[in-house]
Amino acid sequence: MGTKVCKFGGTSLADAAQVRKVEAIVRADPDRRYVVPSAPGKRDANDRKITDLLYLCHNAAAQGIAFDDVWTLICDRFEALVTDLDLTVDLGPQLSQVRRDIEAGAPPDYAASRGEFLTGHVIAGLLGYEFVDAAEVIRFDRHGRFDDDATQSAMQRLADTNHAVVPGFYGSMPDGRIKTFSRGGSDITGSIVARGVGADVYENWTDVCGLLMADPRIIDRPRTIDVLSYGELRELTYMGATVLHDEAIFPVQQAGIPVNIRNTNRPDHDGTMIVPETSPIAHSGTITGIAGRKDFTVIALEKAMMNTQIGFARRVLSVLEAHGISFEHMPSGIDTLSVVVEDAQLNDRLDTVVAEIRHECQP
């Protein structure tokens, strides 16, 4: 028997109908032994994500404001899940405890993580899998940084379990405090769990059929990328592709575990497979994918015989370095050179930088 880790996003768990799809997916393959759920997302355009509602509760409590109405929305969502799925899971005591903790001043990471925590209990009850609190197996150091070594040691807890549900998005500090990843961090949890249990495949279930070759808001009906390497994915996510959290790549990349991005609403679609660079890739075309970001400045320089001037590019970059500015790209020709810089890096220093480049390089 193989091992697959399945992470399901918020849209896949928004209501009971979506959760039933999750159940069918997991039960369809006995290798799907570990499930990493997000908190329930929006059911429609006017709905609110559970995580957002929990943040509202925390902010209200911090200001001494009652949050009864928001808390009722949260309780109603979870109670509807349990009722509609015909489960015997009793979330009442846990919901009460979460509210008491928030009212007592629990930090925002704790409040935000409870959506995944509670959803994990629902999914574990539905599947008959063991619930393993992410705080037991995902570790951060005292500075709030992910602790790889401590996490790998704690993962023995999962290796001894045949089937388990591990909530996404959070872990624990050495003193037991809850610490979350950045938003979308359930992707990271799934990747860490996949490496920890030595999975054959990490399946990331979302609401799209894999990674698209281009932005569908710009290009009409772009094709799905069938297969790509970790390196290609890193480039695409860096330049704006958002299907998979970019930090989720490293744990599985280190372990050489393929990632399969799938659509919960179209489980028959193969989605996109992300494989190590060592694996042979048969691309369906010349281009793997196209992605882009906005808000950049191009500093374009021209100088006759630039190619003969030793250290010209170094002098240009030394000006940026002196201002603590990093660059994205530096295309060049025989007499031309351009430096592409993110606007936020310049921070109103463009005129000063250009003046210093003029002084250093006389372009």
Side-chain angles (χ1 to χ4, degrees), residues 39-42 47-54 74 77 183:
K42 292 183 178 182
D47 202 9
R48 302 291 293 271
K49 297 178 180 179
I50 286 292
T51 303
D52 292 338
L53 295 176
L54 287 163
I74 295 171
R77 284 285 296 275
R183 292 298 287 264

Side-chain angles (χ1 to χ4, degrees), residues 35-47:
V35 177
V36 177
S38 298
K42 292 183 178 182
R43 293 164 293 188
D44 55 58
N46 298 317
D47 202 9

Side-chain angles (χ1 to χ4, degrees), residues 96-160:
S96 298
Q97 184 63 55
V98 172
R99 175 165 186 165
R100 286 194 297 270
D101 291 340
I102 293 175
E103 290 174 333
D109 280 20
Y110 170 84
S113 71
R114 296 303 88 181
E116 281 76 8
F117 175 81
L118 293 164
T119 304
H121 281 284
V122 173
I123 302 302
L126 177 67
L127 297 172
Y129 284 15
E130 181 179 347
F131 174 84
V132 176
D133 192 349
E136 298 179 27
V137 293
I138 305 290
R139 298 294 169 80
F140 293 82
D141 65 22
R142 60 189 182 88
H143 301 292
R145 298 172 301 208
F146 174 64
D147 191 328
D148 198 358
D149 292 338
T151 297
Q152 279 295 94
S153 297
M155 279 291 162
Q156 187 60 44
R157 167 80 171 83
L158 279 181
D160 295 335

Side-chain angles (χ1 to χ4, degrees), residues 36 39 64 120 227 293 328:
V36 177
V227 60
R293 289 157 57 198
E328 300 290 328

